[in-house]
Every structure is written in C-alpha cells, then in structure tokens.
Amino acid sequence: MLEQGTISIHTDNIFPIIKKSLYSDHQIFLRELVSNAVDAIQKLKMVSRAGDYAGDIGEPEIELAIDKDNKTLSISDNGIGMTADEVKKYINQVAFSSAEEFIHKYEGKSDQAIIGHFGLGFYSSFMVAQKVEIDTLSYQEGAQAVHWSCDGSPAFTLEDSSRTTRGTTITLSLQGEEEEFLESARIKNLVKTYCDFLPVPIKLEGEVLNKQKAPWRESPSNLSQEDYLEFYRYLYPFQEEPLLWVHLNTDYPFIINGILYFPKMRPDVDVTKGQIKLFCNQVFVSDNCEEIIPQFLMPMRGVIDSSDIPLNVSRSALQGDRTVKRIGDYIAKKVGDRLKELFRDNREQYISAWKDLGTFVKFGVLNDDKFKKQIEDIIVFRTTAKLTEKVAAETPVVEVQSSDGDAWQDVTPSPSAENSTPIAPYTTLKEYLERNKERNENRVFYSTDETTQSTYIELHKNQGLEVLFMDSFIDTHFINFLEREYQDVKFTRVDSDLDNTLLEQDKDKEIVDPNTNKTRSETIKELFEKSLNKPKLNIRTEALKSDDPQGTPPAIVLLPEILRRMREMNAMMQQGTAEFPEDHILLVNTAHPLIQNLANLNQGSIIQGDGQSSTDQLVNLICQHVYDLALMSQKGFDAEGMKSFVERSNEVLTKLTEQASK
C-alpha cells in the first residue's frame, strides 16, 4: 500500500455549492463522470499536439460497463490518465478544478474544449455509490498505474495497480436504492439526454450511444437547410417545421454558440415555459434557459451553448449575473436585427410567419424597451384594406450570424413565382395612418373578434373605412401600449361607437307627425323603450348609410370604449370574466325596411279596452327579437336566455303566420 490518509475538503469551495443543491438530481452523476472522461481524452490530444507525448493516442472512446451480479457500473476512457500524485491532488482535494489549471498550462496550443467548470464533478458519484474505485495509468513514460478507493467517508486508500493500458476506469458499487442504473435502457437514456453531442464515441456493450456531432459548433457554411431541419426534428420530434432559424456563433465579448428556431405556435403551447436547451461545451445542462433568455423569447426553441454561463450557482444568482444579462441582451438584439432584415428584404416571408411570430414579438415590445426600439416600426396588423401583397409558400428560411464581422447572411434560395400564394393583407400602423390621414384624421378603427364583430366590420368597409384586426390574446394590453406611443391617435373598436361617416346626416329633414308632434325616429325610440322596458339601456335611433338598407342590420349594440375597458380591467384585476354591462347602447337603424315596417305596423295597431291588440303584441315581440339579434353579435346567451329567445322567436313566427293567413 502506497499511502493512507484523509481527503482534504476545501469548505470555502464545496459547502456553498452543496447548500445550493447543485446536484439535487442523482442521475447527474453520469453526466459528470462522462464529461471528465471526455476531458481526459481532450487533454491527451492537447499534450500530443504540444509535443509532450510521442505515443499513439489511438481512437478515442468511452466504454460503459454494467455488472449486475456485483452491482457495479464502470466508466472507462483511453485518455491522459493520472499518476499517484495527480490522484492525490485532483481527487483527494475536493472541488479543486484540474481542468482550469490544465487550460492555463496549454492555453493557445489547441482548439479542443475542456469541459470542466462543473464544480464537484467526480464526487457526484457518491450520490449513487456506496463505494467508488479509480483504476488509472498516466500517459507519462514509466508511470505506475494506481488504484484509489473510497467508501464515501473522508478515508481513502491509494495503492499500486496492475493496469497496463493508458486511461482511467471509474467503478461505482451502487447503493441498493440506486440499482436502476444497472439497467442498460436507463443508461442509454441518460447518455442521450446529457452526452449525446459530446465529440467522443460513448459505448455500451459495443454499441455507440451518442450522435457526437453538435451542429451548433459547425461552421454555418458546412450545414445545409436539411441539416438545420433534421436537427430541429431530432430535438422536437412530431412538431411542425420551424418558420426560420438563427445560427449564433461569436466569441466576443463572451463565448456563445447556438441555433435558435422560430416555431409555429400552437394554441396548447405555454409561452411562459422555455424550450431552449442549455449546453456547456456540448454537455447538456438544462431543458430551458429561463434565467438566461429574455422572457419574451421563451417560445423560441433550439440550443444555446456557452462556457461563460456560471453553472455552480443558484437560479436567483444566475438571473442576477452580469454576464448572463449581457448574453440575454445580445440574443434579443440579434433576434430583433434578424426580424428587421427579414421585414426589409423579404416582407412576404415575414408576413407569412407573423401569425406565429406576432404574439411574442408584441410581448417583447411590452417588456423590453431596447427590443421595442428595434422593431416597433415592423409590427404588422391584418387589415381590411385591399393591398396587393403575395407571400412565398412556407419554406423555412436559414438566417446565419457569422463570426466574421458579426454580419448576417441569408442563405435560403429565393422562392419562385410558381410557389407564391396570396394571403390576407397586413400593414404597419404608420402605413395605416398615412393611407387614411385625410379620411380618418389620426383615428384607428380596430376589431378584436372578426366573427362576433363581422356586422360592424362590414359597416365600416362599406363606407370605405379601413379596419385593423387586433385579435390575439395579447392585443388587449398592446392597444394600451399603442395609445401611449401614439398619443395623438384615437383607437376605436368598431362596436364602441359609429363614425359619422356611417350615418345619414339629414335628421333635421325628418317629417314631424302632426298628431303626435314627434318625428318617426322619436316614435321608434319610444316604441323600443316601451317594449324592452330596460331603464339602463340607452336607445339611439340613427339611419345607417348604405346603398342597400336591407343589407344593413336593423339594430346593433354599442359598448362605449371607456366603459368597456374599465370593465375589462376590473375583470383582469379580479381574475374573472368581464360581464356584459347592462348600461349599453342599442342603436336602431331607422333606414332598415324592418324598422320602417315595424313603425307602420305600430301606427295601425288598435287598442281594445285596457288591453293590447294582437298587432300590439306582435310589435312588442318584434322589438324584443330585434334586440335579441343585436345582442347575439356581442355575447352568447346562457341556457335560460337561449330558452327565452327560442320561445319568443317561435311566438313571433306564429303571430306573423296568423296575420298572413287572414
């Protein structure tokens, strides 16, 4: 026996890490041990290239072996190996990073990455093992192989070994409750999860388990469009193809590599959950980058790989880290730059992708002032205007950020005219205001629901008023933002009030009935007030302008803009649903033939005694029915409301057929 002793624990290094539960997940041990094995192989390559080793380094590989009988799992490499002194220095002194010291020695002599920086590394094995053994032989000429053993206590043994091959084998005698790691399927899954892109073959029973090639570390010029798509399919199987992607590759002012994809958005996707995978020197670290990526970029997918992101700190510390913040700002800027360039150079493709990009672009504008300044002029809205725009059929676009001068390149072939298909027109707000400045006078008409507000949209379209669609779930907040940015512009929802352009302006010419001393509009208003008997309902009578009065609605419900927004805000603060207000407006269209016939029918009704004539009853039912139809464009009926509506409808039809059959 060469030596017995006690492991030296650097409490100032290890205890803060332990307290922050860096290795709360036991399965991390395999990542750490395989990473160390890759380091050992890379170190051998570096000393060989530096001329400090003249031997044959052979084909690098890492071999995993399971012995169910003895309940052991071993990890072997053919890397640099260790001498007895190195074992004492790098193993017995916990949390002493040999990788960092090694890099300083061979700095500038190789482009091979040393993983390192994982802190405890080797000692994570004691989370699953009751005993850990090391059998190692250094590359140094004349080196003696050594065997190290520890049962998890501060005591260890270090003795000579009969090993004859260069490299290191770590053997774990697993604890009883950790025997899941004796199953080959479990080990294969862990290798795929954590070590899939490490540049060394990892074998189990002769089978290579990992892909080895990390596309994000490749030069963009070496990757085809299919390579990018294939990588996306591998990361996110059974998903639709991405819209476009950005290849990041820079080493100043920090090192970061990655490929970020703009996915098609699905209704069931939680945009607050990150899906960008974090790697450190090709070792998988986390399924998301929530502490690194700005929140509005969470819907993006792909990979970020950086050795400048500290991994041995808590999440809260990571969020406050200055370098991490700069990396997040950098990524956001590059995304903004790419969107601006796409808008400028290929607006058709940009518009095609907008229905998926729009939500988180708007979210970014609301939450990141720098990003807002970058892209505020390229936010687009679907419009009712007849614009002549076409968009290329959906072909993913390759966007690359090269390392030369930090310039962007678009390497996607231009779409041909044959695969162009028309789409709904989109416009920026500035374009809308410029196009309508003489007619609208800095007024924006918008719709939040094309289906329920279709009547109002048609009224505006028929009179040449352009309507923007702001119908995504984020637009309720985004409209408030637009009003702050464009303080001289008035935003009006199509169902909040009607522009004078939509109304006939000749009320003064209405004939006054000498018997009642009232105009027909006043008579119709009183008729609806009496029939509906809703004190909080504000009834207005107007003639809607149209070349075809029958094509306009007989009545519409209007919700004053300020009142509606106050109710929506209160509902949001109380985490409820905005109830339909009782004090709304019913605008009765006096130009519609139905309303005119209703007025004539009312004039011909005869009151019998103190009761109502059948005509009177029919008039009241029709007033209620007109109101019901107007309400249906604003809100759905509950069960009781629908039951009453159906009953009234049947009664109206019955009375109409009775009169028709007389």
Side-chain angles (χ1 to χ4, degrees), residues 484-542:
R484 292 193 301 271
E485 293 295 306
Y486 299 86
Q487 295 186 11
D488 58 337
V489 177
K490 182 179 181 181
F491 289 80
T492 304
R493 205 168 85 173
V494 289
D495 62 347
S496 65
D497 201 354
L498 296 184
D499 186 75
N500 288 335
T501 309
L502 305 175
L503 304 175
E504 295 288 357
Q505 302 297 321
D506 58 353
K507 271 193 172 186
D508 293 338
K509 298 179 182 180
E510 280 196 272
I511 298 174
V512 177
D513 187 336
N515 295 323
T516 61
N517 202 31
K518 297 175 183 176
T519 65
R520 171 164 285 206
S521 293
E522 290 171 336
T523 301
I524 292 172
K525 179 177 180 180
E526 288 184 358
L527 176 61
F528 272 86
E529 287 176 340
K530 178 182 175 183
S531 298
L532 299 179
N533 191 26
K534 292 180 178 292
K536 291 187 177 182
L537 178 63
N538 181 6
I539 296 176
R540 284 172 50 189
T541 51
E542 301 280 2

Side-chain angles (χ1 to χ4, degrees), residues 446 479 483 490-497 559-566 568:
Y446 69 94
I479 291 167
E483 288 178 321
K490 182 179 181 181
F491 289 80
T492 304
R493 205 168 85 173
V494 289
D495 62 347
S496 65
D497 201 354
L559 299 176
E561 188 86 8
I562 296 177
L563 178 62
R564 190 198 75 247
R565 292 199 194 184
M566 287 178 61
E568 289 175 347

Side-chain angles (χ1 to χ4, degrees), residues 161-392:
S161 167
S162 59
R163 182 185 181 107
T164 58
T165 57
R166 183 199 65 242
T168 300
T169 297
I170 310 292
T171 302
L172 311 180
S173 298
L174 296 175
Q175 301 169 16
E177 63 271 22
E178 306 291 350
E179 292 181 10
E180 62 178 289
F181 299 112
L182 295 175
E183 300 298 328
S184 60
R186 181 78 168 108
I187 297 301
K188 289 179 180 180
N189 179 263
L190 291 179
V191 170
K192 181 177 181 180
T193 298
Y194 293 105
C195 311
D196 207 11
F197 300 101
L198 285 172
V200 177
I202 302 169
K203 299 180 179 180
L204 176 64
E205 299 172 355
E207 177 187 356
V208 177
L209 306 181
N210 60 325
K211 293 177 71 69
Q212 302 169 55
K213 178 183 176 182
W216 64 89
R217 299 297 290 266
E218 297 284 325
S219 169
S221 61
N222 294 337
L223 297 175
S224 66
Q225 176 173 300
E226 185 58 29
D227 290 330
Y228 285 105
L229 289 173
E230 192 61 38
F231 183 50
Y232 183 83
R233 295 171 192 142
Y234 181 74
L235 293 177
Y236 309 101
F238 312 113
Q239 299 293 313
E240 293 184 84
E241 302 287 66
L243 298 166
L244 48 94
W245 50 84
V246 179
H247 194 145
L248 298 173
N249 181 8
T250 187
D251 55 10
Y252 182 82
F254 33 69
I255 298 173
I256 185 168
N257 296 277
I259 302 174
L260 299 182
Y261 294 87
F262 293 84
K264 288 188 176 181
M265 299 297 290
R266 294 164 47 126
D268 58 345
V269 171
D270 186 347
V271 296
T272 66
K273 299 290 185 182
Q275 298 192 64
I276 298 175
K277 300 178 185 297
L278 175 62
F279 285 73
C280 179
N281 291 324
Q282 297 169 240
V283 179
F284 175 75
V285 177
S286 174
D287 251 328
N288 61 70
C289 300
E290 293 181 9
E291 292 76 31
I292 301 165
I293 297 295
Q295 190 178 13
F296 71 91
L297 294 181
M298 289 300 173
M300 295 189 74
R301 296 176 179 173
V303 166
I304 287 177
D305 189 335
S306 176
S307 57
D308 285 332
I309 298 173
L311 302 177
N312 57 341
V313 297
S314 68
R315 287 190 160 191
S316 59
L318 193 62
Q319 288 174 327
D321 185 86
R322 187 173 181 179
T323 299
V324 170
K325 179 66 169 63
R326 292 172 67 196
I327 289 175
D329 290 344
Y330 171 82
I331 294 172
K333 182 181 184 303
K334 292 307 172 186
V335 170
D337 287 344
R338 186 54 228 161
L339 292 174
K340 286 176 63 177
E341 185 169 324
L342 186 61
F343 178 84
R344 184 187 69 236
D345 297 341
N346 193 344
R347 183 160 175 172
E348 296 171 349
Q349 182 69 33
Y350 180 86
I351 290 174
S352 176
W354 181 256
K355 63 180 179 293
D356 295 289
L357 299 177
T359 297
F360 74 80
V361 168
K362 291 175 184 176
F363 187 65
V365 168
L366 292 175
N367 290 274
D368 189 309
D369 193 57
K370 291 180 181 178
F371 186 73
K372 182 203 77 173
K373 291 177 180 177
Q374 267 191 288
I375 59 89
E376 58 187 347
D377 291 334
I378 64 170
I379 298 169
V380 295
F381 304 91
R382 188 162 58 92
T383 175
T384 57
K386 297 184 182 299
L387 305 178
T388 55
E389 290 180 332
K390 289 202 163 208
V391 65

Side-chain angles (χ1 to χ4, degrees), residues 592-623:
H592 195 282
L594 171 58
I595 302 303
Q596 294 179 350
N597 292 341
L598 184 63
N600 294 335
L601 188 62
N602 180 63
Q603 286 181 342
S605 64
I606 300 174
I607 303 295
Q608 298 176 345
D610 57 356
Q612 286 185 318
S613 69
S614 60
T615 302
D616 246 355
Q617 294 172 8
L618 178 60
V619 168
N620 288 337
L621 284 170
I622 292 176
C623 286

Side-chain angles (χ1 to χ4, degrees), residues 73-92:
L73 171 67
S74 62
I75 299 92
S76 301
D77 67 70
N78 56 355
I80 198 168
M82 289 181 286
T83 63
D85 287 340
E86 288 170 334
V87 169
K88 287 187 285 185
K89 182 175 182 180
Y90 299 139
I91 300 298
N92 293 348

